[in-house]
């Protein structure tokens, strides 16, 4: 009945904040996520304009890890789904994906918004995928969601740490799950720019019940360079087998070699 539906909705909301689920259509409709209005308006307007001005466009949503790039892309996709067909690409096969999108276009007969993340498709694959859709005469806009690496240049348009109003809104979203001690701890993150992100606020709120770390790390590893990957392997091996930290001097010598 109604009570069961309410319990289910509350559980879905909590699972989203815990990092167990990405933002669903239901969550987008019911305001689970905070409002990143600057980037939201810019990217949404770019997509709307591209749909009418061209038959093929790649629009990029670049974001810091933990800033909510996936969530923002889902919010934009949900709102635009009222006016245009939307596909969320959760896996990629270079032979199958273009055919599936082409078949979908035959059914809807309209320009399609395709949302895909860099964890799913590489830059080279993205360009190939775009070319395949052009060759099949499928009008489309691709929203490419990509994390900003430490060696990647960024702009003011990228999704980064929370501004004050966004931080306060996120704090209000997490309020039902915060004890007094945790409320104090979360407020302190406001003064740490490196931690003013939805990911860290939610992780602090739920502590051991937070489930978003695995996905965060997996996405990070997709975009990491070979040198940083080797460093992580060394740290992991020493931690696992020796249960100790690795002295920083090791890495200084390792980089020289």
């Amino acid at each position: 009945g109604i009570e069961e539906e309410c319990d289910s909705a509350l559980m879905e909301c909590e699972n989203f904040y815990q990092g167990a689920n990405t933002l669903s259509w239901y969550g987008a409709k019911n305001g689970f996520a905070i409002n990143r209005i600057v980037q939201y308006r810019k990217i949404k307007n770019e997509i709307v304009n591209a749909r009418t001005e061209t038959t093929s466009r790649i629009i990029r949503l670049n974001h810091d890890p933990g800033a909510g790039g996936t969530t923002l892309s889902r919010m934009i996709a949900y709102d635009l789904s009222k006016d245009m067909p939307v596909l969320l690409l959760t896996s990629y096969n270079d032979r199958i994906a273009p055919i599936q999108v082409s078949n979908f276009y035959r059914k809807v007969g309209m320009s399609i918004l395709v949302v895909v993340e860099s964890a799913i498709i590489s830059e080279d694959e993205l360009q190939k995928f775009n070319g395949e859709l052009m060759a099949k005469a499928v009008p489309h806009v691709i929203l490419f969601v990509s994390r900003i690496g430490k060696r990647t240049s960024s702009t003011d348009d990228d999704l980064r740490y929370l501004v004050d109003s966004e931080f306060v809104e996120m704090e209000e979203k997490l309020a039902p799950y915060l004890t007094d001690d945790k409320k104090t701890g979360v407020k302190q993150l406001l003064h740490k720019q490196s931690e003013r992100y939805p990911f860290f606020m939610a992780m602090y709120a739920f502590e051991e019940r937070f489930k978003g770390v695995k996905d965060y790390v997996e996405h990070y590893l997709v975009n990491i360079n070979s040198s940083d990957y080797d460093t992580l392997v060394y740290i992991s091996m020493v931690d696992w087998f020796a249960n100790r930290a690795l002295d920083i001097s090791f890495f200084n010598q390792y980089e020289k070699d």
Side-chain angles (χ1 to χ4, degrees):
I2 295 176
E3 186 174 341
E4 290 179 352
E5 291 181 3
C6 290
D7 289 343
S8 176
L10 290 172
M11 181 61 68
E12 181 172 343
C13 185
E14 183 172 345
N15 285 339
F16 169 67
Y17 294 133
Q18 283 183 334
N21 300 330
T22 54
L23 185 70
S24 64
W25 252 217
Y26 178 85
K29 178 182 179 181
N30 288 277
F32 287 4
I34 62 173
N35 192 356
R36 310 300 296 272
I37 191 66
V38 174
Q39 292 82 5
Y40 171 88
R41 285 178 176 172
K42 176 183 178 298
I43 294 172
K44 183 179 178 181
N45 288 338
E46 285 184 12
I47 294 172
V48 171
N49 292 336
R51 180 184 60 180
T52 57
E53 294 173 358
T54 182
T55 58
S56 172
R57 177 75 62 82
I58 297 175
I59 293 174
R60 298 175 184 272
L61 195 175
N62 299 320
H63 65 96
D64 281 343
T70 298
T71 297
L72 179 59
S73 70
R74 294 292 180 96
M75 291 174 63
I76 294 169
Y78 170 75
D79 286 346
L80 288 175
S81 69
K82 304 164 189 175
D83 303 311
M84 66 186 298
V86 173
L87 290 176
L88 303 178
L89 206 62
T90 57
S91 62
Y92 178 72
N93 181 297
D94 60 353
R95 292 174 297 165
I96 297 175
I99 295 173
Q100 290 178 325
V101 177
S102 179
N103 291 340
F104 183 60
Y105 170 65
R106 292 195 189 98
K107 293 182 179 180
V108 298
M110 300 170 61
S111 180
I112 300 169
L113 172 62
V114 182
V115 182
V116 63
E117 300 197 31
S118 58
I120 302 297
I121 187 172
S122 68
E123 180 68 34
D124 290 342
E125 289 172 330
L126 174 69
Q127 297 301 330
K128 181 180 178 181
F129 178 53
N130 185 55
E132 292 268 5
L133 295 182
M134 292 175 64
K136 293 180 180 295
V138 177
H140 63 279
V141 181
I142 298 176
L143 177 57
F144 186 56
V145 186
S146 178
R147 291 189 174 194
I148 302 170
K150 66 180 183 180
R151 292 179 173 83
T152 307
S153 59
S154 60
T155 71
D156 292 337
D157 294 328
D158 297 334
L159 192 68
R160 310 207 71 176
Y161 62 86
L162 300 173
V163 300
D164 289 356
S165 59
E166 294 167 344
F167 186 96
V168 170
E169 185 181 358
M170 184 67 187
E171 191 177 11
E172 291 172 351
K173 298 284 188 186
L174 293 174
Y177 314 105
L178 295 174
T179 62
D180 289 340
D181 288 343
K182 288 183 179 179
K183 285 180 182 179
T184 301
V186 169
K187 283 184 181 295
Q188 292 176 351
L189 300 182
L190 181 62
H191 308 293
K192 302 176 183 179
Q193 183 172 308
S194 62
E195 297 181 8
R196 287 177 59 158
Y197 291 87
F199 176 88
F200 294 112
M201 294 179 72
M203 184 169 63
Y204 195 98
F206 290 101
E207 295 183 336
E208 69 276 359
R209 294 192 295 129
F210 185 69
K211 302 174 183 176
V213 174
K214 181 175 182 291
D215 183 67
Y216 181 91
V217 172
E218 287 178 348
H219 278 72
Y220 177 78
L221 292 176
V222 167
N223 298 289
I224 199 172
N225 61 51
S226 59
S227 176
D228 288 345
Y229 186 87
D230 289 343
T231 299
L232 285 177
V233 169
Y234 283 124
I235 293 174
S236 300
M237 290 177 66
V238 171
D239 178 69
W240 180 262
F241 291 107
N243 193 28
R244 56 174 293 184
L246 198 57
D247 194 277
I248 189 64
S249 62
F250 171 85
F251 297 107
N252 293 333
Q253 184 61 42
Y254 171 73
E255 290 178 358
K256 290 178 182 179
D257 294 341

